Each structure stands twice: as structure tokens, then as C-alpha cells.
């Protein structure tokens, strides 16, 4: 199940908050490796490292690294207050060899415990849901295009990478996000939470966010089947947001460039997540101005969802420059902004719609009939 190797660090390639990319020599071959200093310590050239090379052997697009499991000759010291619950007792990546123990934002030792034990309502906060990590910066661009003052929190679920440190996107967005809350088995955010529900409440009442974006970390798991994709949990995020009195906004996975027919137009994963898994009503955002025939294909795919969800058409003027102004590189499934323009425009349009909801946080819209509204 795990392909183990022993190697020697020969060079440090680069680092970003929470992670170090290395060159490691294994036998006579040099391989790219990734270490998380908070878990294994801080490797330097000359260190012997124990590696898990399974993802490297598979050639995974997002996780094609050898992963440093330990520095066996130079173990890091115990963390402060090891074994003391005042330092946190949330165990994540549970019962794996690298399970970290973290301080949960809502556990008794947390300074926010009392606050979070008294709230259970998001008060209409827009919650933008996406099934891919690559949507995060585009959604943020859409929000900031119209509301640069908006406070936006990222709630990272565990459908992809578990450590938030793996994401160079998060590192690149530093200063543009109010913070990152890692939920479920995910860890490494500014705040740690047990569930999406507690993570959303922390985003609102600890980080002070006006908008939350819920999406997995990089590297979802897919099997080419309707249900065998970790991103269908986007539908559960819609349910969580609605249960807590938030305003769910569904970012649609739209593409004219994906070579797989099941992902062209509206991806079958979006249709499954919002059409079958989401039991609560959401605003599903269709960019208004897509080229033909893509616009026709997207509209037809969304027609069956109209009976339950609110389909919102959002203008895309100004979104392209907002996307190009981001401090991070946009890439999804190996395609950049120009190669899959519709995908990133759709995510940015969802962000724009969330921004449009901010002035109306205290206006209830539940009596609006399901239909096709335009949000300029």
C-alpha cells in the first residue's frame, strides 16, 4: 500500500508557508520531494529522509511528489504541551502514522469556545460552494471585483489534500483572505474545526468574514463515475450552509475545453452535487455572456435543476481583468485561464453574485419563486 524509500536531501528547491520542496537522491536518481516542517521537522541538505513515493510513481498531477515521512536521524522535539489537552485534542488524519493533534477553534481550551457555543446562525452570510480547489482564487476575484472591501474566509474541506500547506494558491492569496479554516480531516489552516458547520461559524464569528468559500484542497479523487468523485460533497456543503441560515451559492464547473465529454458544458459532477446531493435550495450561477454554443448547452443542462434551485444569470463584464490581476497562477486540470476561460469566468461569476448579496444580508428572499434572475 505504501512504496517506501530511503534517500538523502541534496537541495532545497523552494519553500512557502508550511511546506518545503526538496531534491532527494534515492539510489542514483534525484526525485522531487515535499516536506511539512510542522509534521516532520525542517530538512536540510545532507539529511537522510524516509519517503513515501507512491504518488510520485503514479505521476499524479497535483501530488506527484515523494513525501517526507521522517528525518530518522534528526527527529524534531515534542510540540509544546504534548499530552496536555490545553494545547488541543483534535486529532486529524486520525489513526494514520502522521496524525497531528491540533487545537480546535471550538474546543474547551480554545479562547473562542464560549463564543462558538452560543451561536448557530450565519445570519444570511453568502457561502460560495465549489468542487475544485482551483475555483477558489477565481471566486475571490469575482467578489473583489465589485466589493474589494469584502472580508472573505476559505473553509477547506477534506476532499482533496489534507494539509492546507500543500496549496501554493493559499500561500499566494495571503493578505486577500480573512483566514483559512480547515475542517474534517483537513488541517493546517489558521483555524481548525471539526465539521463544515463549525468551520462556517468560525469563519463568521471568529474571522469576521462576510463571505465564506467552501472548497476542497488540491487533488480531488475521481473514478470516472457519477458518484465516485470526492467533489460531490459540494452538495453537502450547500446543506450545511442552509442549515445554519447562510445563503448557499453554487459555483458551476463549466468548460468548453475539457477533453472528456462528461465535463463539457456543465460537468456531470456539478449536476450530481447540486441536483442529487443538495437537499437545500441554492443560487446556481450561470455566467451571462458565454460564447455560443456553450451558453445553449449550459442552459439546457441547468433546466432540470430550475425546479428546486434558483438559476441566476450574472454579467461577466470586468471579470476577465479581475482574474488576470490575481497574484496566483490560475490552473485547472492542467489548463490555464486562456485554455479554459469559461471555467474561471463561471467561478468568478459565483463570487460576483455573492458580493451582490452582501448589502442584502438581512433581507429574506425565501419567497422568490425558483426561476431565472439576472444579477447585474
Amino acid at each position: 500500500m505504501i512504496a517506501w524509500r530511503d534517500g538523502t536531501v541534496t537541495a532545497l528547491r523552494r519553500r512557502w508557508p508550511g511546506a518545503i520542496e526538496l531534491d532527494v537522491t534515492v539510489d542514483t536518481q534525484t526525485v522531487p520531494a515535499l516536506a511539512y516542517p510542522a509534521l516532520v521537522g525542517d530538512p536540510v541538505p545532507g539529511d537522510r529522509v524516509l519517503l513515501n513515493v507512491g504518488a510520485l510513481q503514479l505521476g499524479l498531477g497535483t501530488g506527484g511528489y515523494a513525501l517526507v515521512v521522517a528525518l530518522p536521524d534528526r527527529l524534531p522535539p515534542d510540540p509544546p504541551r504534548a499530552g496536555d489537552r490545553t494545547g488541543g485534542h483534535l486529532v486529524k488524519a486520525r489513526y494514520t502514522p502522521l496524525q497531528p493533534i491540533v487545537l480546535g477553534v471550538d474546543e474547551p481550551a480554545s479562547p473562542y469556545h464560549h463564543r462558538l457555543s452560543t451561536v448557530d446562525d450565519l445570519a444570511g452570510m453568502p457561502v460560495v460552494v465549489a468542487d475544485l480547489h482551483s475555483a477558489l482564487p477565481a471566486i475571490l476575484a469575482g467578489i473583489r471585483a465589485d466589493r474589494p472591501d469584502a472580508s472573505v474566509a476559505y473553509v477547506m474541506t477534506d476532499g482533496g489534500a489534507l494539509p492546507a500547506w500543500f496549496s501554493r494558491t493559499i500561500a499566494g492569496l495571503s493578505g486577500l483572505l480573512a483566514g483559512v479554516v480547515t475542517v474534517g480531516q483537513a488541517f493546517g489552516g489558521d483555524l481548525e474545526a471539526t465539521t463544515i458547520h463549525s468551520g462556517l461559524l468560525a469563519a463568521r464569528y471568529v474571522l469576521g468574514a462576510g463571505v465564506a468559500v467552501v472548497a476542497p484542497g488540491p487533488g480531488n479523487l475521481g473514478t470516472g463515475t457519477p458518484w465516485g468523485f470526492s467533489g460531490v460533497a459540494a452538495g453537502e456543503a450547500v446543506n450545511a450552509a442552509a442549515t445554519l441560515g447562510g445563503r448557499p451559492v453554487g459555483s458551476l464547473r463549466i468548460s468548453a475545453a475539457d477533453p472528456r465529454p462528461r465535463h463539457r458544458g456543465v460537468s456531470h459532477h456539478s449536476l450530481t452535487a447540486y441536483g442529487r446531493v443538495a437537499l437545500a435550495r441554492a443560487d446556481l450561477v450561470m455566467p451571462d455572456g458565454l460564447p455560443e454554443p456553450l451558453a445553449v448547452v449550459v442552459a439546457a443542462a441547468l433546466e432540470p435543476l430550475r425546479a428546486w434551485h434558483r438559476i441566476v444569470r450574472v454579467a461577466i463584464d470586468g471579470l476577465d481583468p479581475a482574474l488576470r490581476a490575481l497574484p496566483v497562477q490560475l490552473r485547472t486540470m492542467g489548463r490555464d485561464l486562456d485554455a479554459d476561460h469559461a471555467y474561471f469566468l463561471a467561478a468568478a461569476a459565483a463570487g460576483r453574485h455573492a458580493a451582490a448579496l452582501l448589502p442584502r444580508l438581512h433581507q429574506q428572499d425565501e419567497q422568490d419563486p425558483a426561476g431565472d434572475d439576472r444579477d447585474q
Side-chain angles (χ1 to χ4, degrees):
M1 296 176 67
I2 295 178
W4 298 100
R5 295 292 186 274
D6 190 280
T8 302
V9 177
T10 54
L12 305 183
R13 289 185 169 191
R14 56 180 167 173
R15 65 170 67 220
W16 58 91
I20 304 175
E21 188 178 294
L22 315 162
D23 282 335
V24 176
T25 298
V26 178
D27 298 325
T28 60
Q29 181 184 10
T30 298
V31 301
L34 198 67
Y36 300 119
L39 296 184
V40 302
D42 203 329
V44 297
D47 276 338
R48 184 168 69 94
V49 290
L50 182 62
L51 302 174
N52 176 342
V53 299
L56 179 66
Q57 290 179 335
L58 286 175
L60 298 180
T62 52
Y65 289 103
L67 295 174
V68 176
V69 179
L71 310 180
D73 301 326
R74 195 166 60 84
L75 297 176
D78 285 349
R81 299 195 299 270
D84 180 352
R85 286 194 174 215
T86 62
H89 81 288
L90 262 65
V91 181
K92 298 204 174 186
R94 290 187 279 277
Y95 299 101
T96 66
L98 284 176
Q99 60 181 19
I101 299 175
V102 298
L103 177 65
V105 66
D106 54 348
E107 66 174 300
S110 166
Y112 308 109
H113 172 73
H114 176 71
R115 175 65 169 147
L116 291 178
S117 67
T118 62
V119 294
D120 66 354
D121 188 352
L122 295 174
M125 179 177 73
V127 177
V128 188
V129 175
D131 67 359
L132 291 177
H133 186 68
S134 55
L136 169 64
I139 292 168
L140 183 62
I143 296 169
R144 292 178 61 84
D146 295 347
R147 290 293 302 269
D149 60 327
S151 177
V152 183
Y154 172 39
V155 178
M156 182 179 133
T157 62
D158 54 16
L162 296 186
W165 309 311
F166 184 70
S167 173
R168 291 195 296 274
T169 295
I170 293 176
L173 295 175
S174 176
L176 300 182
L177 290 169
V180 177
V181 188
T182 36
V183 305
Q185 297 292 334
F187 56 90
D190 300 295
L191 299 174
E192 305 282 358
T194 307
T195 65
I196 293 179
H197 303 77
S198 57
L200 285 170
L201 290 168
R204 173 95 178 153
Y205 293 103
V206 176
L207 295 177
V211 183
V213 180
V214 179
N220 288 60
L221 175 62
T223 62
T225 62
W227 292 101
F229 174 59
S230 53
V232 300
E236 299 290 4
V238 167
N239 296 336
T243 296
L244 292 173
R247 179 73 177 263
V249 176
S251 177
L252 294 167
R253 186 171 164 185
I254 293 173
S255 178
D258 200 301
R260 299 163 293 178
R262 65 184 183 274
H263 294 303
R264 285 201 293 270
V266 182
S267 168
H268 72 116
H269 290 320
S270 284
L271 299 176
T272 299
Y274 300 128
R276 302 287 300 279
V277 180
L279 302 179
R281 189 179 178 212
D283 293 355
L284 303 184
V285 178
M286 176 181 172
D288 196 7
L290 293 175
E292 303 289 353
L294 180 60
V296 175
V297 173
V298 169
L302 295 179
E303 191 62 31
L305 279 62
R306 188 185 300 278
W308 181 240
H309 297 294
R310 179 172 175 250
I311 310 300
V312 183
R313 299 172 68 94
V314 173
I316 59 174
D317 55 293
L319 292 182
D320 178 79
L323 289 165
R324 296 186 189 279
L326 284 167
V328 297
Q329 183 182 29
L330 293 173
R331 186 165 294 274
T332 185
M333 302 296 171
R335 300 183 296 274
D336 63 13
L337 173 59
D338 291 317
D340 206 344
H341 201 226
Y343 169 80
F344 294 107
L345 279 178
R352 168 168 277 176
H353 178 60
L357 295 175
L358 283 173
R360 300 187 280 122
L361 280 178
H362 299 294
Q363 295 179 15
Q364 297 302 313
D365 197 24
E366 288 138 0
Q367 299 305 314
D368 287 355
D372 185 48
D373 293 345
R374 292 185 181 271
D375 179 7
Q376 300 298 332

